[in-house]
Amino acid sequence: MHHHPKSPPFTPSSTATITLSKDNSKCTPYIILASFFFSLLFSLSLLSTSTSASQSLLTIRRDPSLFPNRPVSLTKIPYGPTPPSIAYLISGSAGDSARIIRLLLATYHPRNHYLLHLDLSAPQTERDRLAVTIHSVPIFRAAQNVDVIGKANYAYQRGSSTVTSTLHSASILLRLSSKWDWFISLSAGDYPLVTQDDLLHILSYLPKNLNFVNHSSYIGWKESKRLKPIIVDTGHYLLEKDEIFYVTQKRVLPNSFRLFSGMSFAMLTRSFIEFCILGTDNFPRTLLMYLANMPYSFTNYFPTILCNSKFKSTVINHNLQYVAFNMSSSKKQLSSHDLAEFNAMIQSGDAFATQFKFDDPVLDHIDRKILKRKPGRVVQGGWCLGIPANDTCSVWGDADILRPGKGAKRLERRIVKLLSGDTFRSLQCLDR
């Protein structure tokens, strides 16, 4: 944390001396009293100006090195609602450090907070290198909004350890920052399709109680394959990586609440995350125990809580993520089929996409065409005021100023469609 000295209180350099004639002796008390109040008001006005200026600089200039010889305007100009803040969890496994850093750079904004997690399958040396790399980036070091989990754990996709790992990370983010509005968990295979200025701009006009989660109460084949089988998730108690294993017994489905399934990716509100973690209601804890030995429990946990609680009316049945099954290519240049799929992905209006492989050329295409991001740099936003020939984001402006682009229009169309009257309620927590 950087500390800035407060401006010293105003102190007059000399004391005024008043000389009165005997003829005006009767007015002396009034003149002295008036002079005293005038001097007091003048001093307080200067002190107030000095103090407010100091406080304004403390708010804007989080690190003076980001403002070399540049005057800071103290006048606030109204430019729309205050942008929200997003808490990102970016997770990976052994060998994913480079992918995590690239994803961090592609989603970075000073208003957000980021927590990076390499699970226990990655060696401690890789985790240490990741922390050192993050600390070496001036922007991250100055904003102090990127953290790395030092004591990691396993997170198996087929077990409940993914749920507990996500809840643990979310609880850390609750302690690290009291200002974020939405929680998004990204894996190393995810990537943004819009800039953060685009995303924050659209979210600034939405109620902060909306949860974007794919969900369905339809069970079908999942009953025998994912809901009734019982597994042992070794990620809860082993330090060495070991596969989960199935037991011969089967479980019964609950009758006190309805199970919902969805996808692992979701965009959740802070109030809902607090509901799951702080224990104000017993249902999240009960469900966590029920799902402890269930395969793929992470796809059931958040949708089931949302649709069986007071948050039912806040659910939007879409997570704003595009599943790019056919987008991964081993070639350096995208084929015509890849380009057609790429255009369909972008025009979907989703904010993120998933299923990308390491160093996928599609990511380079997104960086060039959509994010306008150079290798090793963050995505430029309204807060970047540096010289274009150098690193534009080496000098900061006001992080509340956004410069949305075409991605904001695409995302706006997607959300307007999701919130339309015939779509929003008809797809919300259906009990089929």
Side-chain angles (χ1 to χ4, degrees):
M1 183 175 292
H2 302 273
H3 299 278
H4 302 265
K6 292 185 177 180
S7 301
F10 172 77
T11 304
S13 57
S14 61
T15 304
T17 303
I18 302 176
T19 306
L20 300 172
S21 64
K22 292 181 179 180
D23 295 337
N24 295 330
S25 59
K26 294 181 180 180
C27 300
T28 299
Y30 301 100
I31 295 175
I32 294 175
L33 187 61
S35 301
F36 171 76
F37 277 113
F38 177 77
S39 300
L40 179 62
L41 290 174
F42 183 70
S43 300
L44 288 176
S45 66
L46 290 179
L47 177 59
S48 175
T49 302
S50 175
T51 303
S52 62
S54 176
Q55 291 175 346
S56 181
L57 288 174
L58 282 170
T59 302
I60 300 174
R61 300 181 61 177
R62 301 183 70 171
D63 188 334
S65 65
L66 296 174
F67 294 83
N69 302 321
R70 181 182 178 276
V72 180
S73 173
L74 302 179
T75 304
K76 279 284 185 180
I77 302 175
Y79 41 78
T82 301
S85 175
I86 300 174
Y88 281 100
L89 168 64
I90 303 179
S91 304
S93 191
D96 283 336
S97 294
R99 303 175 74 186
I100 287 177
I101 292 175
R102 180 173 187 169
L103 183 54
L104 171 63
L105 294 171
T107 58
Y108 185 77
H109 195 280
R111 291 192 58 83
N112 299 333
H113 206 104
Y114 301 83
L115 186 62
L116 313 183
H117 177 228
L118 277 173
D119 69 20
L120 272 178
S121 62
Q124 186 61 37
T125 53
E126 185 180 2
R127 197 171 296 106
D128 294 339
R129 284 196 302 268
L130 176 62
V132 170
T133 301
I134 295 303
H135 187 72
S136 66
V137 178
I139 293 176
F140 302 158
R141 189 171 63 249
Q144 299 181 4
N145 63 342
V146 182
D147 294 275
V148 177
I149 293 181
K151 188 177 181 181
N153 44 41
Y154 282 121
Y156 290 100
Q157 290 185 340
R158 287 188 295 160
S160 60
S161 53
T162 302
V163 180
T164 57
S165 177
T166 301
L167 292 175
H168 174 241
S169 300
S171 67
I172 293 175
L173 285 164
L174 286 174
R175 294 196 300 269
L176 288 174
S177 175
S178 60
K179 296 181 180 179
W180 55 266
D181 304 288
W182 275 280
F183 170 78
I184 297 178
S185 176
L186 298 175
S187 68
D190 299 333
Y191 213 68
L193 300 179
V194 297
T195 68
Q196 289 302 291
D197 276 22
D198 294 335
L199 181 57
L200 296 177
H201 171 72
I202 296 301
L203 292 180
S204 64
Y205 290 91
L206 293 179
K208 291 184 173 60
N209 66 337
L210 295 179
N211 293 277
F212 295 83
V213 181
N214 283 40
H215 61 278
S216 173
S217 63
Y218 174 74
I219 296 177
W221 61 270
K222 297 178 183 179
E223 179 175 350
S224 60
K225 298 293 184 180
R226 293 190 174 185
L227 300 180
K228 287 188 174 182
I230 300 175
I231 65 169
V232 176
D233 187 343
T234 57
H236 287 301
Y237 58 87
L238 290 183
L239 290 177
E240 300 81 16
K241 187 170 185 178
D242 196 5
E243 287 296 326
I244 61 174
F245 57 90
Y246 288 78
V247 300
T248 56
Q249 290 82 1
K250 300 288 184 178
R251 71 171 71 234
V252 296
L253 297 183
N255 55 22
S256 61
F257 57 88
R258 181 81 171 179
L259 282 174
F260 284 78
S261 62
M263 298 179 66
S264 58
F265 180 87
M267 186 170 157
L268 306 170
T269 62
R270 183 188 183 96
S271 58
F272 175 69
I273 291 296
E274 290 176 337
F275 176 77
C276 294
I277 293 174
L278 299 183
T280 54
D281 188 286
N282 198 45
F283 180 59
R285 204 163 37 243
T286 300
L287 182 63
L288 189 61
M289 290 187 292
Y290 176 79
L291 299 178
N293 301 111
M294 178 184 289
Y296 301 99
S297 57
F298 191 61
T299 60
N300 298 95
Y301 183 70
F302 291 125
T304 299
I305 294 180
L306 283 167
C307 290
N308 287 274
S309 67
K310 61 181 181 180
F311 294 93
K312 179 178 180 178
S313 61
T314 69
V315 185
I316 295 179
N317 199 351
H318 199 284
N319 61 359
L320 301 180
Q321 185 189 54
Y322 186 92
V323 181
F325 284 121
N326 301 319
M327 284 302 300
S328 294
S329 174
S330 59
K331 303 176 183 178
K332 293 184 178 180
Q333 299 295 331
L334 301 182
S335 65
S336 58
H337 174 77
D338 291 332
L339 288 175
E341 182 70 16
F342 176 84
N343 292 330
M345 177 178 67
I346 299 303
Q347 293 306 318
S348 70
D350 291 330
F352 299 90
T354 188
Q355 300 291 342
F356 292 113
K357 297 179 180 179
F358 177 74
D359 277 348
D360 197 314
V362 178
L363 302 181
D364 297 330
H365 207 62
I366 294 174
D367 281 340
R368 290 193 304 268
K369 300 294 185 180
I370 306 302
L371 304 180
K372 314 295 183 184
R373 189 183 75 87
K374 296 181 180 180
R377 303 293 187 185
V378 299
V379 178
Q380 296 182 20
W383 55 279
C384 300
L385 299 178
I387 301 174
N390 299 322
D391 184 6
T392 306
C393 299
S394 62
V395 181
W396 289 15
D398 191 339
D400 288 352
I401 297 178
L402 304 176
R403 292 178 184 170
K406 295 180 181 179
K409 292 293 185 182
R410 296 192 297 268
L411 181 59
E412 178 185 10
R413 289 194 296 268
R414 162 62 91 180
I415 292 181
V416 168
K417 184 178 180 180
L418 292 174
L419 292 178
S420 61
D422 58 342
T423 302
F424 178 39
R425 297 299 178 189
S426 62
L427 297 177
Q428 189 178 58
C429 293
L430 293 179
D431 190 3
R432 313 187 199 218

